[in-house]
Amino acid sequence: MSIIFNNVRIPMSGTFFPGQKVLVEKGKIASVGSMIRKNVEKVIECEQKYLIPGLIDAHSHLGLFESAVPVDDINEPYADITPHLRPLDGVKMRDRAMEDARRAGISTCMVCPGSERPISGICSILKTNGNSADVGLIVEQAGVLMSFGEQVKVTARKSERSYVTRMGISALIRETLMKAQDYYAAKQSKKMVKDREIDMEALIPLIKGEVAMRACAHRAEDIMAAIRIADEFKLKLVIEYGTEAHLLASILAEKKIPVVLGPTLIPRFRYELNEKTFESAKILMDAGVEVAFTCDYPGLPIETLRVAAAMAIQYGLEEKRALAAITEVPATILGVDARLGKIKKGMDGDLALFSGHPLDIRSHLEALVVDGDLFVFSKDLKIETGS
Amino acid sequence: MKTILEKGIIFHQGKFQELDKLVIEKGKIVELVLASAKAKKGKPLPAPKKKADTSANVINCSDRYILPGFIDAHTHISLEEEGVGWYDADFNESFGLATPQVRAFDALKMRDKAFNDALHGGVTTAMITPGSANPIGGQCCIVKMVGNVAEAAVVKESSGMKFAFGENPKRVYGEQKKFPSTRMGTAAVIREWLMKAQDYLKRKKTKEFKEREIKLEAMLPLIEGKIQARAHAHMADDIITAYRIAQEFNLDMVFDHCTEGHLIAKELGKWKARAVVGPTFSSRSKPELRNKTFETVEILMDEGCVVALTTDHPVMPIEGLSVAAALCVRHGLDEERAIKAITENPAIILGLDKRLGKLEVGYDADVVVWDGHPLDVRSKTEAVFVDGNRVI
């Protein structure tokens, strides 16, 4: 399908530029400017509304959590180390939350297993438009999820089957990475006559440095544990949650470790959330850390991604950087910045049209385009079918 | 910037002496002049030199006592953060009988209030060890009481391997109806892993070796003599069992608690044992503590053992380290040796006697200024320096 957005505001060098046109063809952004003339299937008269790149949540359990069902497919509580679990095998594309995500302007999510076990599986990047997970899939192996701190401890204590201290969690993760290094070295030497091991196979891209260790950690100490282990095994690292990351801003900046920050709009229901503040994003960004917001769905409803950015503005963050933290920056952290996160020729046709400023929570989503698929949410939107 | 402490009474070379000045620069003690040495020279310092020191921070310590920062060679500070709750404690890795691969360093919480308490009690360095539930409990670390992250406080990330003898492992596993529920069982678990580690070391040197095992990797520095064996043992017979195993496997062993050490003082003296005694200022809460006495320290010292005192924080609060020393004095120990038991001796036991535990040129500038005699419980710390930085 080809679509043109006429007379729209788009984000440009820190402000919204009016009177622009954006053309989407064959699922990609074909042209951006004020002088586009082209016969298309759908012409959308935007009357100076706001068009932004489709939003990205870099950490969610979308589709793994099943709406209105008491059991979920997020955590595998009876095993500690399961890097071979693949989100694709548990995602339900027709879950209501998928529609909620689209209605919130979210076109892409990183979906991962839960953070209750030390190593819980791989992270996959999905779009929200597919009828099956395979259609929406962008990158399947985009990282390995590891978890530190209270949540892992509490789960282990409940099950009485696993290591229950921070010392034990670090040791389990180290043990697994040590095995994976040796497994990979044996495989490299071509003397490998052994049978493959499915968990070790899943860790090879991590050991090779192709994908990141995505470390769920709230407390400063738990973030440091992740940094320590990533350094020891020379792994790429992304911090998830990062509730106390602002206390380590200079260390994270120096080591160039990004933070997927959130969910912040929650009460301090565990000790490790005690230092939670909406100022985190600004402190981290000022220090030079890359920050993306997450609502950790179902930690918070997926619709609250914009709210996270707006709250950070309330606590001093500039609008431009808040918007980048739900578009460009998560694309960079996920390693898909060549195709997502900006309104630019050649990028994926993922666009969200808002009735007003996108970070004004009162504005509503009028239309969403994902890979050129058009979803319309406003009856008043003027759409003409072209010749 | 330089810091100069002038006048006062310094604990130096094992006794209290009049100080002329102590100069701290770049985290180290760079100059120490005693009043007696200055009197011998008979000449006051020339005026221009004094001018050169205008950039320095000069603190007059007249009538004050200047001591090295105290060292507690056996604590669990911050593994269970104070005032948080059991559910967030990281004390014993109770899943796994032998857990040599776990490291106390990975569970430190630098905002624990105990670190600040320690500084107020004049304690600047502590060894932090996993608990004594497991026959092999994990790796100990040594840190100073400052820093926002463990990496900023670290002296040694892995300084020793914790072993536990006697009632604790027996109780923990016995109550779960698991092996080991006897002292024989505990010793057998320890021997089994030491034996495995020795064989692993041999196997690792062969070409066929491919896959590392984290538990045995963790045991290697111990087998190779690079780190110490720290034996939790209260009862005399448990201390002897620990020594027996140390001899069999050629381990560099330190005895922790050593509650009945005085009953086998001759033996410990013969072994030139290093003992970290305490927490004596606690009750006799279990049978293996029945012979607890404050006289143990003096008896062991008289036999030639190197003895340090411990609070075993949080069993006894870390601020009580000087109180433990004072109680030993009340029971007959001389003041000088009581102070050595919380300064020089723990430094020797931790293998840090080249940089900690004394006020001498070249040593870390971990210096505490007390407003009265440090073993008078009414005295308080007026200034505390760690690596030359004033923290109180």
Side-chain angles (χ1 to χ4, degrees), chain A residues 153 161 163 165 182 228 244, chain B residues 89 93 95 111 151 212:
Chain A
K153 281 161 55 70
R161 297 163 50 99
Y163 287 157
T165 64
D182 292 351
R228 201 173 294 141
E244 290 188 351
Chain B
E93 187 40 81
F95 183 81
R111 284 162 290 164
E151 272 77 358
R212 289 169 292 169

Side-chain angles (χ1 to χ4, degrees), chain B residues 213-273:
Chain B
E213 290 170 47
I214 194 169
K215 288 191 178 192
L216 296 172
E217 286 289 325
M219 296 286 279
L220 287 185
L222 177 75
I223 293 290
E224 293 171 325
K226 291 175 187 163
I227 64 170
Q228 294 174 330
R230 301 291 303 246
H232 161 111
H234 288 282
M235 238 172 68
D237 299 292
D238 293 331
I239 298 169
I240 291 170
T241 300
Y243 181 73
R244 188 180 304 127
I245 290 176
Q247 290 304 103
E248 283 171 27
F249 292 90
N250 197 23
L251 304 178
D252 176 20
M253 185 173 275
V254 173
F255 301 100
D256 288 280
H257 306 308
C258 221
T259 304
E260 287 189 350
H262 55 285
L263 301 182
I264 48 166
K266 286 269 183 297
E267 284 81 357
L268 286 164
K270 205 163 66 191
W271 306 339
K272 304 214 177 312

Side-chain angles (χ1 to χ4, degrees), chain A residues 34-94:
Chain A
S34 51
M35 307 295 287
I36 303 166
R37 282 164 164 248
K38 181 104 187 188
N39 280 336
V40 294
E41 292 162 57
K42 301 266 184 197
V43 180
I44 305 178
E45 288 302 332
C46 298
E47 299 167 322
Q48 299 287 20
K49 285 166 187 160
Y50 291 73
L51 190 69
I52 58 172
L55 302 180
I56 304 172
D57 192 329
H59 179 112
S60 80
H61 311 289
L62 195 70
L64 293 181
F65 178 80
E66 193 169 359
S67 300
V69 171
V71 287
D72 60 53
D73 287 317
I74 301 179
N75 287 293
E76 190 64 65
Y78 304 115
D80 297 325
I81 305 291
T82 53
H84 49 298
L85 297 192
R86 299 159 28 141
L88 223 55
D89 299 328
V91 164
K92 294 161 275 291
M93 291 305 283
R94 276 157 305 283

Side-chain angles (χ1 to χ4, degrees), chain A residues 347-362:
Chain A
M347 306 286 266
D348 284 12
D350 295 355
L351 297 161
L353 182 70
F354 283 92
S355 62
H357 194 291
L359 296 182
D360 181 343
I361 300 304
R362 295 168 302 181

